[in-house]
DNA sequence: CATATATAGTTTAAGCCTAAAGCAAAAACC
DNA sequence: GGTTTTTGCTTTAGGCTTAAACTATATATG
């Protein structure tokens, strides 16, 4: 992908909601694409793997599969596959939960913890490099606006009718 | 997916760049998930299909495969598959380009145009419904900040080193 | 002109992702 | 206690996505 051509994209004169959504999608796609590229080149890993490990890094005691899937906002079955591969690579482990023979706790292994610590540091540096110039100016405001957006989106009273 | 549980997600105290990126990703995931759901339920279609048709709707004269992939910021091979399926469904056509036997122009068929017009109207209404309450307040500012972000991201001088 | 390089697009392998169906265990109900 | 419903997770089928390899055509270069 060549990111120099992105400015070919020009939005039509639509309502502000739609324009907002298109910008939102575009900015996160740009960042996502760059990060994916870096993760692959530098660490031979992917965003979904990184995301799972990040969640487990934060919740040291471990997470159940369904907690993981809620946290990452992806489907249940999706998590199964990613976790399978991380287990195969010795980066995480499934542990049975006392009192519930259906459930698993997933945790980082020592190797996984080490590997992720290193990756996370670089990852943060990349994000910083990408956003630094923007963040000097007015990141705090954008941050707050996005928070407002997120809570508006999560407000059940506004839930799009099922 | 149950969107009522999204507020379980709480970010750690990290640098503002990282926090900004996480929020950005989260807000677009919420919207993306809701729209995917609606598109599937109402029109039995997907976001990638919708995106391709939207691009072709805007560029009535048609687009070449590589133009499409730049516009949508996805890989070349990805577009091939989506276009294949849309062609099979009679919604778009591949037309040969005079003077270049490698290239194709892709265009909406009459059926595709009709179908998309209808979908686009609903799509805009959904986005509006989701974002309306937020947009009344301060969408214009957020819009401009995202534009600033996008141009900062697209600035080659800041390009993350290959 | 002949060769080299670049461009347009497809194919492939592997992973990501969803919805829906399925399985087993737990919880609720009667 | 026995039945029903719910919950936790996996499997499946099908589509999405990428990077890399590949084919064919076009362009540049000597």
């Amino acid at each position: 992908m060549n990111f120099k051509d992105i400015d070919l994209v020009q939005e039509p004169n639509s309502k502000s909601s739609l324009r907002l959504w298109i910008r939102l999608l575009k900015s996160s796609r740009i960042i996502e694409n760059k990060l994916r590229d870096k993760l692959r080149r530098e660490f031979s890993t992917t965003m979904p793997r990184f995301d799972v490990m990040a969640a487990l890094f934060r919740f040291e005691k471990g997470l159940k599969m369904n907690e993981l899937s809620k946290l990452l906002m992806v489907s249940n079955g999706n998590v199964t596959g990613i976790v399978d591969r991380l287990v195969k690579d010795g980066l995480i482990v499934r542990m049975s939960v006392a009192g519930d023979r259906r459930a698993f706790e997933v945790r980082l292994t020592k190797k996984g913890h080490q590997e992720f610590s290193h990756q996370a540091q670089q990852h943060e540096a990349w994000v910083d490099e990408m956003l630094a110039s923007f963040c000097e100016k007015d990141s705090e405001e954008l941050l707050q606006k996005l928070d407002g957006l997120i809570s508006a989106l999560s407000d059940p009273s506004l839930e799009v009718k099922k």
Side-chain angles (χ1 to χ4, degrees), chain A:
Chain A
M1 276 269 347
N2 187 352
F3 292 109
K4 286 165 197 153
D5 298 307
I6 282 167
D7 44 271
L8 283 179
V9 185
Q10 30 169 321
E11 281 81 48
N13 242 18
S14 57
K15 287 222 209 78
S16 67
S17 298
L18 194 49
R19 279 166 54 215
L20 185 56
W21 162 230
I22 292 173
R23 251 92 164 175
L24 208 52
L25 185 58
K26 183 169 170 178
S27 36
S28 46
R29 273 209 189 150
I30 297 174
I31 299 174
E32 215 171 334
N33 282 342
K34 291 189 185 195
L35 286 181
R36 187 205 336 280
D37 204 55
K38 287 299 248 177
L39 284 173
R40 184 182 52 82
R41 287 177 196 269
E42 307 284 329
F43 302 130
S44 301
T45 191
T46 65
M47 296 249 317
R49 287 168 66 100
F50 184 87
D51 291 345
V52 166
M53 293 180 75
L56 297 179
F57 189 80
R58 185 139 71 84
F59 293 85
E60 294 184 28
K61 298 168 304 182
L63 287 168
K64 289 199 292 179
M65 297 296 279
N66 64 50
E67 292 173 331
L68 214 35
S69 95
K70 276 177 198 162
L71 220 45
L72 305 179
M73 289 185 244
V74 298
S75 70
N76 243 331
N78 187 5
V79 175
T80 297
I82 300 168
V83 164
D84 281 350
R85 284 181 285 274
L86 287 173
V87 167
K88 210 179 59 183
D89 294 346
L91 298 169
I92 67 177
V93 276
R94 268 188 253 244
M95 295 176 320
S96 55
V97 170
D100 191 341
R101 284 188 292 168
R102 298 166 302 176
F104 296 109
E105 291 280 351
V106 182
R107 290 190 56 160
L108 285 178
T109 60
K110 193 164 198 165
K111 178 185 172 193
H113 187 91
Q114 274 180 349
E115 199 153 314
F116 180 79
S117 305
H118 179 224
Q119 292 177 357
Q121 218 174 336
Q122 291 297 306
H123 175 266
E124 184 166 333
W126 297 333
V127 175
D128 228 46
E129 197 179 346
M130 275 190 268
L131 301 185
S133 73
F134 179 79
C135 277
E136 285 161 17
K137 296 196 299 275
D138 35 19
S139 75
E140 201 52 45
E141 261 183 284
L142 177 49
L143 207 60
Q144 277 168 18
K145 289 208 181 311
L146 286 175
D147 274 339
L149 176 59
I150 290 172
S151 49
L153 286 168
S154 308
D155 183 346
S157 71
L158 301 172
E159 192 89 354
V160 175
K161 202 178 57 198
K162 293 272 156 71

